Amino acid sequence: MIILLLSCYKSYSQESLSKQMAATAMEIWKDSLIMQPGVPVKWAYDEGVFLEGIEGLWKNTGEGKYFNFMKKSMDRFVTDSGTINRYKFSDYTLDNIKNGRILLTLYKVTGNEKYYKAAKLLRNQLRSQPRVATGGFWHKKIYPYQMWLDGLYMAEPFYAEYAATFNEPEDFKDIASQFIQMEQYGTDAKSGLMYHGWDESREQKWANKTTGQSPIIWGRAEGWYAMGLVYVIGYFPEHDPYRDTLIQILNRVAAALQKAQDTKTGVWYQVMDQPKSTGNYLEASSSCMFVYTLAKGVRRGYLPTKYLAAAQKGYEGVKKRFITKRAEGQIDLNGVVGATGLGGNPYRDGSYEYYLSEKVVTNDPKGVGAFLLASNEMEMLPTQHIGAGKTVLLDNYFNNETRTDAAGDTVSYHYTWNDRSNSGFSTLGHIVYKYGAKTATLKTAPDKEHLKGASAYIIVDPDTKLETANPNYVSGADVRNITDWVKAGGTLILMSNDSNNSEFEHFNTLAAAFGIHFNEDSRNKVLKNHFETGTFNLENNPVFKTGKKVYMKEIATLAIKPPAKALFTDGKDIIMATAKIGKGRVFAVGDPWLYNEYTDGRKLPADYQNYQAAEDLVKWMLTPNK
């Protein structure tokens, strides 16, 4: 698989198509997602699809302008009290749920409760959303007794993320049931693909009177279902009984998509079950959706690697057939079918002729969003081999702070993978995934059983009694277990904090095993936003090869003796050190400097390279010790 990745990506890994597409979109829609001049922008799913692609690009680059664009876009709708302008609860349309994922991101990152209140409003819509007899959501109140594939993408990713975020585990059965029902009611037995809609009542003109299915298999509808499915699986608890069921469905979907892929161009047809019929054409948005689904499914381990070739062929086809140069640093996405549906007024009968009658446009936000999602996935593929099969374990035992969230739940935070606020390590965690490894959290003492599956183990800022009522201090047994694990080949990352914010006495017993001592001092005190006083230049550093200009403030300096060696010094102060012991190694620094506040691009000036430094450290910890 590694050889396949490297050879396939050599031709276009030099530039980011996702950035070029985003540049176009952020120019076209710099004030709002106005599709019709003079018509006020609506609270609509189109924006959510596009912004989800922007969010992925932000996570892949650490460039704060993408987050700021998301925030600006949603702030046009979300009031300070948490209501949503131009949203009508009583419409009961699943399309209105889509933007909820962006609201959850904004709440998690900023902590502003207006986004939580707005998200809760959408969650409450789902609580009373009309349902078919077997429990599936109606797509809209104006479309009674109907489930559409579209709705599985509009509602379920938000529903799953909300359930995981605010401790509603009972929702996962309902979420899985939506996908199970749609597969049961909507699948074509011959192709394995799914029809756009299903009418429980069989009353619609478009509905088959026996099966209730709509007449045609439409590409983007299949794409909505596939993208929603691959997204929600990641939020299901590892041992949830329905997780494997959803993965099995995804594998059936992937097999059908691979079979339907056009062998010549690598992309997919607008009407998927009639590829050779007169007037049918290859369509961009669905093709991007399928590339995203297959690539992400393989990356996350839900799909076997054989589907990667289909994703790669599809992405090459999208680039060749649908992408044109717009201006320097910008591109256009062509070949996207416009808004398409069933029923309504004027009535859409779901016929072959209807699906071919809808206008084909350039830079439709649904297509742009799908292209960004696909590109974000494909642009991660060249680095996946670095950490393939490895796990980065993050301590949540010595560092174990909690807080109360907006829902009133007690949650772990502060240098954790799940914490997306300034204090968290979510950006670092994404980089771990970007380089092909998995993240895990250790909430107990580091015994041999828990350490044995980890390639790297990170311990950050052990608690004092001011931070945690009953802190877990490093013990002699912990030192022995960790030392033995390092000697056997593990990579240990030690990040202390300055003298006012970290426990030193016990933590230093662990550091001492590797010739390292964290001094109880604090240098690089920065007043307000005088970033220059916290600036270091890491030129000619064997670990930090791309992240040169970096920011650290309030650092505990180091004292070292063999086997430790200084990695970076400033004046007389040792700032970073490494040590080799047995088959393993240790990296130490006196600050948790790679947390979100200084890696996600929202605070530091754009010329700082903490995000790149985080990538460097991840690559180092995942590269075999030489």
Side-chain angles (χ1 to χ4, degrees):
M1 185 178 87
I2 295 173
I3 294 174
L4 175 66
L5 291 177
L6 294 178
S7 61
C8 176
Y9 280 85
K10 185 177 179 182
S11 61
Y12 59 88
S13 61
Q14 300 301 312
E15 61 180 355
S16 169
L17 290 179
S18 58
K19 283 189 174 184
Q20 294 182 61
M21 187 79 262
T24 298
M26 290 166 71
E27 180 178 293
I28 296 173
W29 302 311
K30 58 187 173 184
D31 293 321
S32 62
L33 194 69
I34 295 176
M35 302 307 297
Q36 301 176 42
V39 178
V41 62
K42 298 179 181 178
W43 176 258
Y45 71 91
D46 307 58
E47 190 150 22
V49 181
F50 164 55
L51 291 180
E52 192 159 304
I54 291 292
E55 180 183 3
L57 182 54
W58 170 53
K59 290 162 69 176
N60 269 3
T61 64
E63 295 184 23
K65 64 183 179 181
Y66 300 120
F67 175 85
N68 294 336
F69 188 87
M70 285 195 301
K71 185 176 182 300
K72 178 183 176 183
S73 299
M74 288 293 97
D75 282 347
R76 294 191 186 96
F77 297 99
V78 180
T79 68
D80 289 342
S81 63
T83 58
I84 304 173
N85 290 325
R86 296 181 289 286
Y87 160 75
K88 192 174 180 181
F89 187 104
S90 59
D91 283 347
Y92 285 110
T93 167
L94 294 184
D95 287 348
N96 281 343
I97 303 297
K98 175 71 202 89
N99 295 347
R101 268 219 61 251
I102 305 302
L103 297 179
L104 289 176
T105 291
L106 294 175
Y107 166 67
K108 291 175 183 179
V109 172
T110 69
N112 191 326
E113 291 195 14
K114 74 174 186 178
Y115 302 117
Y116 164 71
K117 291 176 181 177
K120 187 176 181 180
L121 186 63
L122 300 180
R123 174 65 185 90
N124 285 338
Q125 178 191 315
L126 292 181
R127 296 186 198 281
S128 53
Q129 184 79 12
R131 296 174 182 251
V132 300
T134 50
F137 291 136
W138 289 8
H139 187 60
K140 297 182 181 181
K141 186 173 71 172
I142 62 170
Y143 300 140
Y145 310 106
Q146 298 168 44
M147 293 182 72
W148 293 13
L149 295 180
D150 315 38
L152 277 295
Y153 174 74
M154 303 304 166
E156 307 310 321
F158 165 77
Y159 193 4
E161 185 171 351
Y162 194 99
T165 303
F166 299 113
N167 193 30
E168 296 183 358
E170 66 280 359
D171 294 337
F172 289 112
K173 180 179 179 180
D174 187 28
I175 293 163
S177 176
Q178 305 284 330
F179 286 97
I180 293 168
Q181 289 179 68
M182 200 67 236
E183 184 190 38
Q184 177 184 348
Y185 301 143
T187 300
D188 170 50
K190 181 178 179 181
S191 67
L193 299 167
M194 297 184 193
Y195 293 101
H196 186 176
W198 174 72
D199 175 17
E200 178 189 37
S201 70
R202 279 59 164 180
E203 293 178 356
Q204 290 299 312
K205 296 176 184 177
W206 53 257
N208 182 296
K209 300 309 176 187
T210 302
T211 65
Q213 296 167 339
S214 58
I216 295 299
I217 294 173
W218 173 44
R220 191 157 71 223
E222 184 81 17
W224 292 134
Y225 182 91
M227 288 207 304
L229 180 58
V230 78
Y231 187 86
V232 302
I233 293 170
Y235 280 100
F236 270 65
E238 193 73 27
H239 301 294
D240 186 282
Y242 289 98
R243 186 175 184 272
D244 284 345
T245 300
L246 294 181
I247 291 175
Q248 291 167 18
I249 294 175
L250 178 62
N251 276 265
R252 291 193 286 272
V253 168
L257 293 180
Q258 186 178 48
K259 184 178 178 182
Q261 187 175 26
D262 181 56
T263 56
K264 183 178 180 181
T265 65
V267 292
W268 285 265
Y269 278 92
Q270 159 77 343
V271 178
M272 297 180 72
D273 57 335
Q274 300 185 42
K276 302 303 180 184
S277 295
T278 303
N280 202 359
Y281 59 89
L282 297 165
E283 198 274 333
S285 67
S286 59
S287 297
C288 292
M289 291 173 174
F290 300 149
V291 168
Y292 165 79
T293 299
L294 295 173
K296 184 171 182 176
V298 171
R299 180 174 66 83
R300 295 302 299 263
Y302 311 146
L303 295 175
T305 56
K306 67 179 182 180
Y307 290 111
L308 193 57
Q312 292 169 322
K313 185 175 182 179
Y315 193 56
E316 287 294 330
V318 167
K319 292 193 301 176
K320 291 176 182 177
R321 190 168 191 91
F322 302 121
I323 295 297
T324 54
K325 188 177 178 65
R326 174 185 178 89
E328 187 61 36
Q330 296 184 13
I331 55 176
D332 286 322
L333 178 69
N334 308 290
V336 179
V337 66
T340 311
L342 295 165
N345 186 20
Y347 196 82
R348 298 164 294 185
D349 65 3
S351 64
Y352 179 81
E353 293 72 23
Y354 161 69
Y355 282 102
L356 296 186
S357 70
E358 290 289 1
K359 198 172 182 180
V360 178
V361 299
T362 296
N363 294 336
D364 178 277
K366 297 180 288 295
V368 168
F371 179 78
L372 287 170
L373 288 167
S375 296
N376 291 336
E377 282 295 327
M378 300 306 283
E379 288 165 7
M380 284 193 281
L381 282 179
T383 57
Q384 289 294 293
H385 68 284
I386 294 173
K390 298 177 182 178
T391 297
V392 178
L393 186 64
L394 179 62
D395 165 67
N396 193 201
Y397 177 72
F398 304 117
N399 166 53
N400 185 27
E401 295 180 65
T402 60
R403 65 184 174 191
T404 303
D405 66 14
D409 294 323
T410 299
V411 296
S412 181
Y413 86 110
H414 213 207
Y415 314 129
T416 65
W417 297 133
N418 290 332
D419 183 359
R420 298 192 66 181
S421 68
N422 281 346
S423 60
F425 267 169
S426 63
T427 303
L428 184 64
H430 177 77
I431 292 171
V432 170
Y433 275 99
K434 184 177 175 180
Y435 284 86
K438 296 180 180 179
T439 61
T441 299
L442 184 57
K443 292 182 173 291
T444 63
D447 59 30
K448 294 180 180 180
E449 182 65 26
H450 288 99
L451 289 175
K452 69 179 182 181
S455 299
Y457 178 36
I458 304 174
I459 305 177
V460 187
D461 187 26
D463 294 339
T464 66
K465 288 187 177 181
L466 293 176
E467 296 165 317
T468 304
N470 297 296
N472 297 309
Y473 295 133
V474 174
S475 70
D478 300 328
V479 174
R480 289 190 295 273
N481 288 334
I482 295 172
T483 302
D484 288 346
W485 172 80
V486 172
K487 288 179 179 178
T491 295
L492 178 65
I493 308 295
L494 300 177
M495 296 185 185
S496 181
N497 212 326
D498 67 290
S499 58
N500 295 318
N501 292 291
S502 187
E503 193 279 325
F504 282 86
E505 179 183 353
H506 299 85
F507 194 41
N508 267 328
T509 64
L510 173 61
F514 312 107
I516 297 167
H517 179 86
F518 292 97
N519 298 320
E520 295 189 44
D521 58 5
S522 181
R523 64 156 286 178
N524 279 27
K525 292 188 177 181
V526 178
L527 298 177
K528 296 184 178 180
N529 289 331
H530 293 284
F531 298 112
E532 66 279 2
T533 57
T535 302
F536 286 129
N537 193 313
L538 303 180
E539 290 292 342
N540 302 314
N541 191 290
V543 174
F544 300 97
K545 299 178 180 180
T546 60
K548 302 299 185 183
K549 183 180 180 180
V550 300
Y551 177 81
M552 293 186 196
K553 71 170 189 175
E554 298 174 4
I555 313 160
T557 61
L558 305 177
I560 62 172
K561 61 182 181 181
K565 295 181 180 180
L567 177 67
F568 174 68
T569 60
D570 187 64
K572 295 181 180 180
D573 292 332
I574 300 173
I575 307 300
M576 302 177 188
T578 58
K580 290 186 178 181
I581 178 170
K583 297 179 181 179
R585 58 197 171 166
V586 180
F587 168 89
V589 63
D591 189 64
W593 62 303
L594 297 179
Y595 52 102
N596 295 338
E597 186 173 9
Y598 302 120
T599 55
D600 71 9
R602 295 189 305 118
K603 183 167 184 175
L604 289 180
D607 60 332
Y608 282 87
Q609 297 174 310
N610 281 39
Y611 184 92
Q612 289 80 2
E615 290 188 291
D616 288 334
L617 185 60
V618 167
K619 283 186 281 187
W620 180 82
M621 73 171 76
L622 294 175
T623 302
N625 187 17
K626 297 179 181 179

